[in-house]
Every structure is written in C-alpha cells, then in structure tokens.
C-alpha cells in the first residue's frame, strides 16, 4: 500500500544508514564502529517504531556510568538522530522523538598540544624514517591523520592539494583545496613516487602509524599523546599567532567556528619562526619587540 509506512528493525535501520550514508564517510571505519557499538545498547531486533524516550535516556545514563565524555555521547546521539531522519525520508515508521534534546552542553575541553618545535624535533629524531614526513606534513597542514595517509599524488596540483572532509551537507564528504607551503613542497620532493599514495613504506601504502608514533614518543621521552595532537598543535599555534578564529576554522576545514574554538587557545610562550614563517607571518617574538 502506497501510504503505508514500512516497519524496520533497529538493525535494518542501522543497515540502511550504513548503505546510503555511512560507508561514504571520509572515516567510514569509525562510522562502522559507532554503529556496532550502538547495537550493544539497543535491541537490534526491536522495531524502530517501538523505540522510546526511556530507551534513549537509558543509553545516556549507561554512557555516563561508563565515564564517557559528554562529547562522545553527543556524537552517538547525533548519529542516532541522523538514522531516524533518514528512515523517515525513506517512509519507515519512526517514533516521534527528538533525539538531539538528550544532547548536553559540552564542557570546555583541555585540548592537548605540543609546546614548541623542540618537542617536535625530539619526536622526529626518534621516529622511524617512514613516519618523519608524515609528522611534518600533519603539523604544517593541520589535516587529520586519515587525510594525510589517504593523500595521493593525483590530489596534488601545483602548490595546492585536495582532501575529502566530513560535511553532513554532502554525501561522501566535501572536497576542499589546501595550500602547500614551501616547506611542504620541499618535503614532498624527497618522497619516492612508487605508489599512487604519497606516504609509503617499502613501496606500499601506509595504512596506520599508531605503533611507530607510540615508539617515537617513548624513545623521545615524551608523554603519550595521540596523533590528533598534531592537528591540535597546528590550530593552537596558528591561533596564537593570528588571533583569527576564522582563519583557523578555514585551515581546519570546520563548517562551524564553535568546533574550532575547542582547538584554538592562547598559550604562553613564543611560536617559533620555523613554524609561523610557513604562513608568511613574523614570529610572536618579533611582534613583541616591535610593540
């Protein structure tokens, strides 16, 4: 019957979201893992139309009991909301629940970043050769590590390179152009063209550098930080120099400046010429002397 709504189980609803949206995400593996984790909290064989406010509330309480951050729970709720919206568009019977009402304000996050180039130099000096250019490219570009490792030679045109970033308004993400600064261009010249991908090891594409990164930190005597700290560092140093949240937002390819504000913090100390010259600006130290 044309006017009759379809009945989907929660498992079928998750499958629909994966097939139509999730698998095209820039970081599809992360999306798949989130969907898998959600099935631990909701009865996958239950009809989506039977989902209740109590079910959502129980999920939020369970996440809190596990000690999860508010931001983590909010990301799961946002995905669940997107699943319901998609199902509604596909004429699936969905409950009249505004999942986003369960999202709580996120507290100020203590963004971790590296203080200066001395720390970066120590890490690079103790890193395996194949990860050294990845570290440098990450901190100069501010790209997520997934974008760096996915970069192909065909994505580079002159002094620009192109990456795919997450954007809920575009299925499969949005292509954006980013500038290659002189040190990045010189770095790329040192890399072999033995694969479609820019960053390789023994002629093969590098899929992950987590172990190599961990070993580099241990050898350098630096407390453990995730690779995402390089992106935080890019944003923090950039903001310290420019005090321009919009410029940082553009560099990080965020659709909202509210997201960028979590990364950008004024910090004590001096941003080295070696980094800020990449952006064509004077060092903070020289600015202070001029003042």
């Amino acid at each position: 019957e044309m006017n009759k709504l379809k009945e989907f189980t929660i498992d079928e609803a998750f499958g629909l979201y994966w097939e139509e949206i999730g698998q095209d995400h820039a970081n599809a593996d992360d999306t798949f893992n989130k969907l898998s984790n959600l099935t631990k909290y909701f009865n996958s064989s239950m009809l989506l139309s039977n989902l209740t406010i109590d079910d959502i509330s129980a999920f939020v309480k369970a996440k809190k009991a596990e000690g999860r951050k508010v931001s983590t729970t909010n990301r799961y709720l946002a995905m669940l909301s997107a699943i319901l919206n998609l199902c509604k568009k596909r004429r699936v019977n969905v409950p009249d629940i505004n999942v986003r009402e369960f999202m709580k304000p996120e507290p100020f996050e203590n963004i971790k970043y590296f203080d200066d180039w001395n720390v970066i130099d120590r890490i690079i000096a103790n890193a395996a050769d194949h990860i050294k250019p990845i570290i440098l490219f990450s901190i100069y570009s501010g790209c997520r590590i997934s974008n760096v490792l996915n970069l192909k030679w065909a994505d580079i045109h002159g002094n620009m390179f192109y990456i795919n970033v997450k954007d809920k308004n575009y299925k499969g993400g949005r292509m954006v152009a980013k500038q290659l600064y002189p040190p990045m261009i010189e770095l790329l010249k040192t890399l072999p063209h033995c694969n479609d991908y820019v960053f390789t090891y023994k002629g093969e594409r590098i899929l992950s550098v987590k172990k190599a990164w961990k070993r580099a930190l241990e050898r350098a005597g630096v407390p453990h930080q995730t690779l995402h700290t390089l992106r935080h560092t890019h944003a923090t140093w950039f903001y310290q120099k420019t005090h321009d949240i919009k410029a940082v937002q553009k560099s990080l390819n965020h659709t909202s400046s509210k997201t960028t504000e979590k990364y950008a913090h004024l910090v004590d100390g001096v941003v080295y010429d070696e980094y800020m010259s990449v952006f064509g600006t004077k060092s903070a130290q020289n600015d202070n002397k001029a003042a």
Side-chain angles (χ1 to χ4, degrees):
E1 299 177 33
M2 293 299 295
N3 295 326
K4 188 176 181 179
L5 297 177
K6 292 172 284 188
E7 290 288 354
F8 271 22
T9 63
I10 286 182
D11 188 55
E12 289 172 329
F14 287 4
L16 176 67
Y17 179 80
W18 171 253
E19 289 294 331
E20 293 202 13
I21 297 177
Q23 65 178 344
D24 292 324
H25 281 172
N27 193 350
D29 288 343
D30 180 62
T31 299
F32 185 84
N33 289 335
K34 280 188 172 65
L35 287 170
S36 297
N37 288 333
L38 278 173
T39 61
K40 299 176 183 177
Y41 301 91
F42 299 98
N43 182 357
S44 59
S45 62
M46 181 178 73
L47 290 178
L48 184 64
S49 58
N50 290 336
L51 188 69
T52 67
I53 290 176
D54 289 339
D55 293 325
I56 308 297
S57 181
F59 167 74
V60 174
K61 289 179 180 178
K63 282 295 183 183
K64 183 177 181 180
E66 293 171 4
R68 302 297 182 182
K69 294 180 180 179
V70 171
S71 57
T72 300
T73 303
N74 283 349
R75 282 194 288 272
Y76 277 102
L77 291 171
M79 177 174 287
L80 190 57
S81 176
I83 292 170
L84 292 178
N85 288 335
L86 174 63
C87 287
K88 189 174 183 179
K89 291 179 181 178
R90 297 295 176 265
R91 297 194 56 75
V92 175
N93 193 7
V94 300
D96 186 19
I97 300 175
N98 183 357
V99 177
R100 290 186 173 272
E101 288 184 352
F102 290 86
M103 297 173 69
K104 300 184 182 299
E106 298 181 18
F108 174 79
E109 293 186 36
N110 181 24
I111 299 298
K112 296 180 180 179
Y113 60 93
F114 295 114
D115 292 333
D116 53 47
W117 270 104
N118 287 331
V119 180
I120 302 298
D121 285 341
R122 276 186 14 233
I123 295 172
I124 292 176
N126 288 277
D129 289 341
H130 70 281
I131 193 180
K132 291 179 180 181
I134 294 173
I135 295 172
L136 286 170
F137 196 90
S138 296
I139 200 167
Y140 278 128
S141 67
C143 289
R144 291 181 172 86
I145 189 64
S146 58
N147 286 130
V148 176
L149 296 182
N150 287 333
L151 187 65
K152 295 182 178 180
W153 290 109
D155 299 326
I156 300 173
H157 301 275
N159 65 344
M160 305 294 292
F161 68 101
Y162 295 82
I163 61 172
N164 185 282
V165 300
K166 293 180 180 179
D167 191 323
K168 63 182 180 181
N169 298 315
Y170 296 83
K171 183 178 180 179
R174 171 173 54 94
M175 291 298 295
V176 298
K178 292 179 67 67
Q179 184 176 347
L180 283 172
Y181 299 108
M184 299 165 72
I185 295 174
E186 293 304 313
L187 174 67
L188 293 175
K189 289 179 180 179
T190 68
L191 302 179
H193 290 242
C194 56
N195 196 295
D196 289 340
Y197 292 89
V198 173
F199 298 101
T200 60
Y201 177 65
K202 294 183 178 180
E204 298 295 328
R205 174 192 177 188
I206 297 175
L207 297 175
S208 175
V209 291
K210 288 183 179 180
K211 291 183 179 179
W213 170 254
K214 183 179 179 181
R215 285 195 292 269
L217 293 180
E218 291 173 348
R219 292 168 181 165
V222 176
H224 179 70
Q225 304 285 351
T226 66
L227 281 157
H228 204 66
T229 304
L230 296 173
R231 180 170 165 85
H232 292 179
T233 301
H234 170 94
T236 304
W237 288 2
F238 199 170
Y239 184 64
Q240 182 191 25
K241 178 58 197 174
T242 64
H243 293 201
D244 186 343
I245 196 68
K246 288 296 182 182
V248 180
Q249 178 185 345
K250 182 177 180 181
S251 183
L252 295 179
N253 302 114
H254 285 157
T255 54
S256 170
S257 61
K258 290 183 179 180
T259 304
T260 312
E261 288 168 2
K262 294 191 296 184
Y263 288 79
H265 305 288
L266 287 173
V267 294
D268 294 330
V270 173
V271 178
Y272 289 173
D273 283 330
E274 184 180 357
Y275 180 80
M276 291 319 303
S277 62
V278 172
F279 300 100
T281 59
K282 298 178 181 179
S283 70
Q285 187 176 23
N286 290 338
D287 284 351
N288 289 337
K289 287 181 179 179

